mmCIF file of all heavy atoms in Angstrom:
data_model
loop_
_atom_site.group_PDB
_atom_site.id
_atom_site.type_symbol
_atom_site.label_atom_id
_atom_site.label_comp_id
_atom_site.label_asym_id
_atom_site.label_seq_id
_atom_site.Cartn_x
_atom_site.Cartn_y
_atom_site.Cartn_z
ATOM 1 N N GLN A 107 5.219 29.173 23.904
ATOM 2 C CA GLN A 107 5.296 30.620 23.832
ATOM 3 C C GLN A 107 5.482 31.051 22.377
ATOM 4 O O GLN A 107 6.014 30.303 21.563
ATOM 5 C CB GLN A 107 6.484 31.138 24.656
ATOM 6 C CG GLN A 107 6.392 30.870 26.143
ATOM 7 C CD GLN A 107 7.635 31.364 26.875
ATOM 8 O OE1 GLN A 107 8.094 32.475 26.653
ATOM 9 N NE2 GLN A 107 8.177 30.524 27.748
ATOM 10 N N PHE A 108 5.057 32.260 22.101
ATOM 11 C CA PHE A 108 5.209 32.789 20.749
ATOM 12 C C PHE A 108 6.667 33.168 20.483
ATOM 13 O O PHE A 108 7.320 33.807 21.296
ATOM 14 C CB PHE A 108 4.325 34.025 20.562
ATOM 15 C CG PHE A 108 4.615 34.760 19.280
ATOM 16 C CD1 PHE A 108 4.128 34.292 18.072
ATOM 17 C CD2 PHE A 108 5.388 35.919 19.294
ATOM 18 C CE1 PHE A 108 4.408 34.961 16.891
ATOM 19 C CE2 PHE A 108 5.660 36.591 18.123
ATOM 20 C CZ PHE A 108 5.181 36.114 16.912
ATOM 21 N N TYR A 109 7.159 32.728 19.333
ATOM 22 C CA TYR A 109 8.485 33.126 18.862
ATOM 23 C C TYR A 109 8.323 33.635 17.438
ATOM 24 O O TYR A 109 7.834 32.922 16.566
ATOM 25 C CB TYR A 109 9.461 31.948 18.892
ATOM 26 C CG TYR A 109 9.765 31.465 20.294
ATOM 27 C CD1 TYR A 109 9.118 30.344 20.821
ATOM 28 C CD2 TYR A 109 10.696 32.125 21.092
ATOM 29 C CE1 TYR A 109 9.387 29.911 22.104
ATOM 30 C CE2 TYR A 109 10.964 31.688 22.382
ATOM 31 C CZ TYR A 109 10.313 30.585 22.885
ATOM 32 O OH TYR A 109 10.577 30.164 24.165
ATOM 33 N N ALA A 110 8.739 34.876 17.204
ATOM 34 C CA ALA A 110 8.553 35.496 15.888
ATOM 35 C C ALA A 110 9.579 34.957 14.897
ATOM 36 O O ALA A 110 10.772 34.867 15.198
ATOM 37 C CB ALA A 110 8.690 37.005 15.998
ATOM 38 N N ARG A 111 9.103 34.595 13.722
ATOM 39 C CA ARG A 111 10.006 34.220 12.647
ATOM 40 C C ARG A 111 10.484 35.489 11.943
ATOM 41 O O ARG A 111 9.675 36.351 11.604
ATOM 42 C CB ARG A 111 9.305 33.298 11.642
ATOM 43 C CG ARG A 111 9.039 31.902 12.168
ATOM 44 C CD ARG A 111 8.410 31.035 11.113
ATOM 45 N NE ARG A 111 7.093 31.556 10.730
ATOM 46 C CZ ARG A 111 6.358 31.074 9.738
ATOM 47 N NH1 ARG A 111 6.818 30.085 8.995
ATOM 48 N NH2 ARG A 111 5.170 31.579 9.458
ATOM 49 N N PRO A 112 11.767 35.598 11.695
ATOM 50 C CA PRO A 112 12.293 36.799 11.029
ATOM 51 C C PRO A 112 11.614 37.030 9.681
ATOM 52 O O PRO A 112 11.365 36.081 8.920
ATOM 53 C CB PRO A 112 13.784 36.473 10.840
ATOM 54 C CG PRO A 112 14.086 35.459 11.899
ATOM 55 C CD PRO A 112 12.836 34.649 12.042
ATOM 56 N N GLY A 113 11.292 38.289 9.422
ATOM 57 C CA GLY A 113 10.708 38.632 8.135
ATOM 58 C C GLY A 113 9.205 38.573 8.086
ATOM 59 O O GLY A 113 8.596 38.957 7.080
ATOM 60 N N THR A 114 8.565 38.114 9.154
ATOM 61 C CA THR A 114 7.101 38.040 9.183
ATOM 62 C C THR A 114 6.534 39.324 9.784
ATOM 63 O O THR A 114 7.226 40.022 10.544
ATOM 64 C CB THR A 114 6.631 36.836 10.013
ATOM 65 O OG1 THR A 114 7.097 36.983 11.364
ATOM 66 C CG2 THR A 114 7.187 35.540 9.437
ATOM 67 N N PRO A 115 5.288 39.664 9.465
ATOM 68 C CA PRO A 115 4.682 40.868 10.056
ATOM 69 C C PRO A 115 4.695 40.849 11.574
ATOM 70 O O PRO A 115 4.875 41.894 12.219
ATOM 71 C CB PRO A 115 3.249 40.834 9.507
ATOM 72 C CG PRO A 115 3.352 40.071 8.226
ATOM 73 C CD PRO A 115 4.407 39.030 8.463
ATOM 74 N N ALA A 116 4.516 39.660 12.176
ATOM 75 C CA ALA A 116 4.476 39.570 13.637
ATOM 76 C C ALA A 116 5.812 39.938 14.261
ATOM 77 O O ALA A 116 5.869 40.366 15.425
ATOM 78 C CB ALA A 116 4.074 38.158 14.061
ATOM 79 N N ALA A 117 6.894 39.778 13.508
ATOM 80 C CA ALA A 117 8.217 40.104 14.045
ATOM 81 C C ALA A 117 8.361 41.594 14.298
ATOM 82 O O ALA A 117 9.209 42.006 15.096
ATOM 83 C CB ALA A 117 9.299 39.624 13.082
ATOM 84 N N LYS A 118 7.543 42.416 13.632
ATOM 85 C CA LYS A 118 7.611 43.868 13.790
ATOM 86 C C LYS A 118 6.636 44.375 14.854
ATOM 87 O O LYS A 118 6.635 45.567 15.171
ATOM 88 C CB LYS A 118 7.314 44.543 12.457
ATOM 89 C CG LYS A 118 8.270 44.154 11.331
ATOM 90 C CD LYS A 118 7.870 44.805 10.017
ATOM 91 C CE LYS A 118 8.780 44.374 8.882
ATOM 92 N NZ LYS A 118 8.366 44.984 7.584
#
Side-chain angles (χ1 to χ4, degrees):
Q107 296 178 46
F108 170 78
Y109 294 99
R111 289 183 296 173
T114 61
K118 301 177 182 178

